[in-house]
Amino acid sequence: MTAPALFGVERSAKGARWIGRAADDRLALALSQRHALPEIVARVLAARGIGLDDAPAFLNPTLRALLPDPSVLRDMDRAAERIARAVTGGEGIAVFGDYDVDGATSTALMTRYLRAVGVEPQIHIPDRIAEGYGPNAQALEKLRSGGAGLVITVDCGTTAFDALEGAAASGLDVVVIDHHTAEPRLPKVSAVVNPNRLDQDPGLGQLAACGVTFLTLVALNRTLRQAGVFASSSGGGRAEPDLMALLDLVALGTICDVVPLTGLNRALVGQGLKVMAQRRNTGLAALADVARVTETVDAYHAGYILGPRINAGGRIGRADLGARLLATEDKAEAARIAALLDEHNVDRKTVEAEVMAAAIAQVEASDSGPVIVIAGEGWHPGVVGIVAGRLRERYGRPSCVVGVEGGIGKASGRSVPGVDLGAAVIAARQAGLLLSGGGHRMAAGFTVRQERVAELRAYLTEHIDGQVAAQPGEPMVPLVELDGTLVVEAATVELAETLCRLGPYGAGNPEPRFALPRVRVVAASVVGGGGHVACTLVGPDGGRLRAIAFRCADQPVGQALLRRDALLHVAGTLRLDRWNGNVRVQLFIEDVAPLWGAESA
């Protein structure tokens, strides 16, 4: 830890060390001058490695410039040809997806396209508890018996060797479209399209499954066009599907799967959010209505409001609800499913709160290490992923949460930058510690026998320790990286609007985080049902700024904010708050550093 702590904050309320994000000051100045950007915005660009010539493309990413020829992915042409043959030959097709948002959006993408070319596919999303993740023999046989000659798996299938080889033996063809970490061995199927195949040239490995699915549709559309399926000037054929209209689903899945929002992902999300704002998808529009999203949907709404509701079906309710909502054109059906998902989301919050409380108690009672691995009897497998994410945020460490039932634990893990959790889980499976498991750098899932959880914890600790500790055995200290400092008066609507140009934000392109030094908190109160703390910050010169901190009333950050006339350093992000035609700026507080004893200084 060579960088000096900003404002001397070695341990914030979250136990984190504050540091400034490294940036080339000369580059920041040049960016500001050439592109007429505020200096602090130019510094944000410089800290992300955006050069002088790269800035225009970063500020205005386009698919025209960034979308590759889909054929660069191995097996893509084979996949497109096999699906096209099924379409033109009137063959039964089934889509087998995953129960998370990436799986739901990928399933809906493929389904909507196939419907547009005259095919009504079967849809199967496995039940999280009864079937687990990925293809299984019983479900594949049911799809075959239902008339499917071809199954397209999306967001799953790369390591489903036994199930897919059994399907092939029964005469069922399979095309795998996935993005999860692969092994040297691939399933024996018609095609495996996965940018993370070990024999794949690098460059597209950051795509979510919905992004890979979209590229597959581009290739399929080209193949069908070449086959003369679509209408031409001479007449005949059907109308060519509008691929651009499907980008709202790609944006939603990409944001919710927390893949890096750089390069092609950035262009897909940027264009997709524009499509989402038009409310063209019947299911998404219905979901926004029940969630009471009245303003233009942005990455925040997609990731924190719409996404959790789609996920709720797979976590607490029926696994296929999200995919069916996003695929439907029936307004009445969309309204019904959206209302049901909203109810499931309320139930999910209750279950999540119970598991979260037990998980925190278990973490606090255990020794700290580079990775959190905890297990609980009866913890609902539908919320372990969310709880793992909350623990990662709270403790700044990779976190795996295991829900045990009948001696078998089903788990989800969430990682931190710099730690490849998916590779660690695959290594643990190959070492014989897991019944099943896989994932990617930032997230993983696995199944483990209860009696092997302690052994797994020791294995992951050894595997991950070298990736996160500055020196062997050194405890991990969470870092809060800050893009700059602001006085309260500088936190204006104009600055927030300019910062919006740097979005969409997410993994790989984090939302700019600023520190506001020596602010006093006034009018703080707990709001909402989730323990949020709303307050007003007053700067040394009297400037005032509205602020809110989420889910923290019972934690050190919230307790510091609720202290009467608290004097703090505050770290957070600036957001625009649009209400009744008015636009204001608000700070979303992520961390604070109390200045107890400095109130009279």
Side-chain angles (χ1 to χ4, degrees):
M1 295 187 292
T2 57
L6 195 65
F7 304 134
V9 178
E10 296 285 355
R11 284 289 190 276
S12 67
K14 283 188 173 180
R17 188 172 190 267
W18 290 10
I19 61 172
R21 198 183 301 274
D24 184 328
D25 291 337
R26 289 182 298 179
L27 174 59
L29 179 60
L31 285 165
S32 175
Q33 292 174 341
R34 179 179 293 188
H35 300 291
L37 296 169
E39 185 176 344
I40 195 166
V41 174
R43 181 176 175 79
V44 171
L45 287 175
R48 283 151 177 74
I50 307 301
L52 279 175
D53 296 331
D54 300 327
F58 184 87
L59 294 170
N60 297 288
T62 65
L63 287 175
R64 181 181 298 275
L66 295 169
L67 192 71
D69 184 332
S71 295
V72 301
L73 290 174
R74 285 187 175 273
D75 277 6
M76 179 61 86
D77 292 339
R78 292 174 60 188
E81 290 166 4
R82 180 63 187 90
I83 300 171
R85 190 163 72 249
V87 169
T88 57
E91 192 173 356
I93 300 177
V95 182
F96 192 113
D98 189 20
Y99 36 64
D100 67 0
V101 180
D102 193 18
T105 52
S106 298
T107 301
L109 279 165
M110 184 60 67
T111 300
R112 293 175 76 91
Y113 183 89
L114 290 174
R115 284 177 180 163
V117 295
V119 176
E120 183 61 44
Q122 298 182 64
I123 295 175
H124 185 82
I125 309 294
D127 181 88
R128 185 185 295 262
I129 298 175
E131 298 177 75
Y133 168 79
N136 62 83
Q138 184 176 359
L140 291 171
E141 174 56 29
K142 182 178 179 181
L143 294 174
R144 189 186 70 81
S145 299
L150 172 66
V151 171
I152 305 169
T153 74
V154 290
D155 197 25
C156 59
T158 297
T159 58
F161 305 112
D162 294 341
L164 295 186
E165 288 170 14
S170 72
L172 186 64
D173 279 356
V174 178
V175 168
V176 172
I177 302 171
D178 199 2
H179 73 131
H180 290 96
T181 303
E183 299 182 28
R185 174 189 175 194
L186 292 173
K188 296 177 182 179
V189 294
S190 297
V192 177
V193 180
N194 185 336
N196 289 304
R197 283 175 51 156
L198 299 186
D199 59 351
Q200 174 67 52
D201 292 336
L204 295 174
Q206 295 180 335
L207 286 173
C210 57
V212 184
T213 302
F214 182 77
L215 286 182
T216 305
L217 295 182
V218 173
L220 174 59
N221 201 64
R222 179 174 60 191
T223 301
L224 291 174
R225 185 189 307 122
Q226 292 170 349
V229 170
F230 303 129
S232 63
S233 56
S234 59
R238 66 173 60 246
E240 186 168 331
D242 182 3
L243 291 176
M244 296 296 287
L246 299 174
L247 284 174
D248 49 2
L249 296 176
V250 182
L252 180 63
T254 300
I255 291 167
C256 292
D257 215 48
V258 202
V259 293
L261 293 188
T262 57
L264 177 57
N265 281 342
R266 182 173 168 76
L268 289 170
V269 171
Q271 296 302 315
L273 288 174
K274 295 177 183 177
V275 177
M276 200 180 298
Q278 300 170 17
R279 294 171 61 95
R280 298 170 70 174
N281 184 288
T282 303
L284 271 179
L287 195 63
D289 288 341
V290 300
R292 294 172 293 280
V293 177
T294 56
E295 63 267 48
T296 300
V297 175
D298 59 15
Y300 171 79
H301 297 107
Y304 292 96
I305 298 178
L306 301 181
R309 285 169 168 80
I310 294 170
N311 258 331
R315 296 187 188 282
I316 302 295
R318 273 179 45 195
D320 64 350
L321 287 177
R324 294 190 181 281
L325 173 75
L326 299 177
T328 189
E329 296 286 358
D330 186 316
K331 290 185 178 180
E333 182 185 29
R336 179 182 59 80
I337 296 176
L340 189 57
L341 286 173
D342 196 50
E343 293 174 8
H344 287 324
N345 194 49
V346 173
D347 296 338
R348 184 269 305 170
K349 290 179 180 178
T350 301
V351 175
E352 176 196 331
E354 295 171 353
V355 175
M356 185 67 183
I360 290 173
Q362 194 174 134
V363 173
E364 298 289 350
S366 63
D367 294 332
S368 62
V371 59
I372 293 170
V373 181
I374 57 172
E377 189 79 35
W379 288 358
H380 197 296
V383 302
V384 293
I386 301 175
V387 173
R390 300 270 190 252
L391 295 178
R392 175 195 58 191
E393 294 172 5
R394 187 181 183 107
Y395 298 103
R397 288 181 277 161
S399 301
C400 298
V401 180
V402 186
V404 179
E405 189 73 39
I408 300 297
K410 296 183 179 180
S412 285
R414 298 294 182 268
S415 192
V416 298
V419 176
D420 190 339
L421 185 59
V425 166
I426 288 174
R429 176 169 60 79
Q430 293 171 338
L433 294 173
L434 303 175
L435 298 173
S436 63
H440 50 79
R441 294 189 67 87
M442 297 302 292
F446 56 87
T447 304
V448 60
R449 295 190 184 279
Q450 184 176 14
E451 64 269 18
R452 305 206 74 173
V453 171
E455 190 179 355
L456 173 65
R457 182 185 298 111
Y459 181 91
L460 292 179
T461 294
E462 181 179 358
H463 194 94
I464 287 174
D465 190 49
Q467 300 182 56
V468 299
Q471 296 179 4
E474 179 182 327
M476 188 174 182
V477 177
L479 295 178
V480 172
E481 288 190 295
L482 296 153
D483 290 279
T485 61
L486 288 175
V487 296
V488 170
E489 291 81 1
T492 62
V493 169
E494 291 73 24
L495 175 60
E497 287 176 337
T498 304
L499 289 170
C500 287
R501 295 182 59 194
L502 308 186
Y505 296 118
N509 183 36
E511 191 167 1
R513 183 189 291 129
F514 302 104
L516 283 71
R518 299 185 64 82
V519 297
R520 195 172 296 277
V521 180
V522 298
S525 61
V526 179
V527 298
H532 314 314
V533 177
C535 61
T536 299
L537 306 179
V538 179
D541 295 328
R544 299 170 75 88
L545 176 64
R546 296 171 65 250
I548 188 167
F550 293 104
R551 298 185 301 274
C552 69
D554 61 343
Q555 298 176 28
V557 169
Q559 292 164 4
L561 291 169
L562 290 167
R563 177 167 171 163
R564 184 179 179 86
D565 287 330
L567 185 65
L568 313 165
H569 299 317
V570 176
T573 58
L574 291 178
R575 303 269 177 85
L576 291 172
D577 179 24
R578 295 183 172 89
W579 182 254
N580 286 338
N582 297 316
V583 181
R584 299 179 294 185
V585 67
Q586 185 176 31
L587 183 74
F588 281 32
I589 297 174
E590 297 181 24
D591 199 4
V592 301
L595 298 174
W596 307 145
E599 285 86 350
S600 59

